[in-house]
Amino acid sequence: MRMLRHFIMTKHRNLVTCVAVVGFLLIYVELRLSQLQKTEIKEVKSVQESQRVNSPLGFYTETEKFESNVPIILYNRVPKTGSTSFSNLVYDLTKTNKMYCLHLNITKNSLKIPIGDQYNLARNMTTWVERRPALYHGHFGYFSFAQFGFPEPMYINILREPLDRLLSFYYFIRYGDDFRIGLRRTKQGDKTTFDECVAQNGHDCQPRALWLQIPMMCGQSAECWKVGSQWALQQAKDNLVNRYALVGVTEQLEDFVVVLEAIQPRMFNGIINKFRTGSKSHIRNTIHKEPPSEATLAAMKNTKTYRMEREFYDFAVRQFEHIKRYSTYKDETGTLQPLYGQYHYEKIFGPSGNMDRKH
């Protein structure tokens, strides 16, 4: 009897031991399979990311993520148009409006962007949903997201009377401004006046130096940068009307921010008040300027390049004032304000018939 009991107990212990060993092996196998699965997923993601980053030019597909309802604004700012003042107003809104403002720095200050970078920028801005809503700004020519199959951003810009812009730039690169004091400019120390430069047929006061706002609004095509191109002028006009949500002018910068808040209050709420009451409505002033003579002005204005750039500027002014007329109103103090809510829905019918008379 004692031997039988010993035999049974021994068998029981062996069975328990076997069950424990089998259980341990099952747990071990499950852990290893889980680890292998995680490793495989990481490797696949790594390969996909490598393919995404290093892929050649291609077109946008539905596998890429984007949120079309969260705005992206692209501001390809023209130099010496008040762009620094405007950009700093936007930076001040980033915290309160829970948005992002990012500067796009093109190597060597080039206004032309390689086509591969155009594609990658369009894809990056479109899929970088963690940085939305966002305004991207920098000195570069217009380029289209749609040509690569991506949703278009909202384009904005500011233009300036072309000769005033050139004069401002001419003295800016010689004397700098009161915004970044001490920064050495490309022509620092050159005391040549604009009048003297024109008389000497200098390089940076040539009529061709006026050719800037047209090509920057025209785009990256070769013809856009051909000085005096009638095609470029027409393309710039077409883009201004059909591609840009709003193009303002330096001479009406306050009105520009009023209309902009009317267009996109989600991002620009409060910009009017900051412009009118803050200290950043005009933060960059060229340290030294000398007004040109009437003879110099007449000579510059009599060139084909100036006439074309002026035609484009006047076109932009008319378009801006047209938009402003129907997008703003003056309050009881005569102050310009954004205009909202000038529409309603009515005659709404659905499966259940007349759902509402007015919305």
Side-chain angles (χ1 to χ4, degrees):
M1 193 66 166
R2 184 181 297 173
M3 289 180 64
L4 179 60
R5 192 162 48 247
H6 176 73
F7 175 77
I8 292 171
M9 290 179 66
T10 301
K11 287 286 187 181
H12 180 72
R13 283 196 297 269
N14 290 341
L15 180 61
V16 171
T17 301
C18 287
V19 170
V21 170
V22 170
F24 174 78
L25 287 172
L26 287 172
I27 292 170
Y28 174 77
V29 169
E30 186 176 353
L31 286 172
R32 286 296 297 159
L33 286 173
S34 177
Q35 290 172 349
L36 287 170
Q37 188 177 24
K38 287 179 180 178
T39 301
E40 185 179 358
I41 291 171
K42 286 181 179 179
E43 289 175 351
V44 170
K45 285 184 176 180
S46 177
V47 170
Q48 289 175 339
E49 178 65 17
S50 176
Q51 290 173 341
R52 187 183 72 81
V53 172
N54 299 307
S55 62
L57 291 183
F59 285 88
Y60 172 81
T61 65
E62 289 301 325
T63 58
E64 300 275 16
K65 294 180 180 179
F66 73 95
E67 296 180 16
S68 58
N69 61 327
V70 183
I72 304 172
I73 296 179
L74 196 59
Y75 171 33
N76 62 312
R77 41 193 282 198
V78 177
K80 308 310 296 176
T81 58
S83 61
T84 299
S85 298
F86 172 73
S87 298
N88 275 272
L89 287 171
V90 178
Y91 275 112
D92 278 356
L93 297 173
T94 53
K95 188 173 182 179
T96 55
N97 290 354
K98 295 181 172 56
M99 56 172 284
Y100 298 88
C101 186
L102 305 89
H103 180 241
L104 180 56
N105 191 320
I106 308 299
T107 302
K108 296 182 180 179
N109 296 318
S110 175
L111 300 175
K112 305 178 189 73
I113 305 175
I115 194 165
D117 284 347
Q118 292 177 47
Y119 169 80
N120 286 322
L121 283 168
R123 180 173 63 177
N124 181 261
M125 292 180 193
T126 304
T127 59
W128 197 6
V129 294
E130 295 82 7
R131 294 293 179 267
R132 296 268 200 96
L135 181 143
Y136 293 85
H137 66 98
H139 297 308
F140 52 88
Y142 165 84
F143 69 98
S144 170
F145 284 27
Q147 67 180 329
F148 303 113
F150 293 94
E152 291 278 33
M154 173 180 159
Y155 296 94
I156 64 170
N157 218 327
I158 302 170
L159 305 180
R160 185 176 180 180
E161 199 289 322
L163 189 50
D164 287 347
R165 193 209 66 80
L166 178 60
L167 284 165
S168 181
F169 184 74
Y170 179 88
Y171 284 105
F172 167 72
I173 61 175
R174 285 163 172 77
Y175 293 94
D177 56 35
D178 55 4
F179 181 64
R180 300 173 71 183
I181 298 172
L183 181 63
R184 186 169 182 81
R185 302 295 174 179
T186 54
K187 296 278 187 173
Q188 196 81 29
D190 180 5
K191 307 295 184 183
T192 306
T193 67
F194 192 80
D195 283 338
E196 293 168 342
C197 180
V198 171
Q200 297 165 11
N201 200 28
H203 173 73
D204 48 351
C205 58
Q206 291 277 332
R208 65 182 300 111
L210 289 161
W211 190 259
L212 185 71
Q213 297 185 132
I214 288 173
M216 286 191 69
M217 293 287 291
C218 173
Q220 300 290 325
S221 301
E223 190 67 19
C224 292
W225 302 89
K226 181 180 177 182
V227 178
S229 167
Q230 198 66 40
W231 181 90
L233 171 59
Q234 188 57 50
Q235 185 64 41
K237 288 181 178 180
D238 290 345
N239 286 344
L240 188 149
V241 172
N242 299 315
R243 303 294 184 183
Y244 281 78
L246 185 66
V247 177
V249 291
T250 308
E251 296 78 5
Q252 300 184 53
L253 195 55
E254 180 177 343
D255 294 353
F256 172 76
V257 301
V258 172
V259 178
L260 197 59
E261 186 166 328
I263 292 175
Q264 184 47 262
R266 163 67 183 85
M267 293 179 66
F268 297 112
N269 180 46
I271 194 171
I272 301 170
N273 184 59
K274 283 188 177 294
F275 184 92
R276 289 172 175 165
T277 63
S279 59
K280 295 187 177 181
S281 59
H282 195 81
I283 62 172
R284 169 167 272 180
N285 298 282
T286 302
I287 291 174
H288 176 80
K289 291 181 188 176
E290 291 190 27
S293 67
E294 290 299 322
T296 297
L297 289 174
M300 294 296 291
K301 290 180 178 181
N302 196 37
T303 62
K304 178 185 176 182
T305 308
Y306 173 80
R307 289 195 297 270
M308 292 182 72
E309 279 278 347
R310 181 64 196 230
E311 178 184 339
F312 180 57
Y313 169 78
D314 289 340
F315 179 84
V317 170
R318 290 194 299 274
Q319 176 67 6
F320 175 69
E321 290 181 342
H322 171 77
I323 292 172
K324 181 177 69 172
R325 186 177 305 116
Y326 296 102
S327 306
T328 62
Y329 72 99
K330 288 187 177 180
D331 62 20
E332 61 277 3
T333 66
T335 305
L336 200 69
Q337 302 291 354
L339 184 63
Y340 302 106
Q342 299 302 295
Y343 67 93
H344 66 270
Y345 300 107
E346 61 183 10
K347 300 178 182 178
I348 303 171
F349 284 73
S352 57
N354 190 346
M355 298 173 64
D356 202 341
R357 291 177 181 272
K358 188 174 180 180
H359 279 260

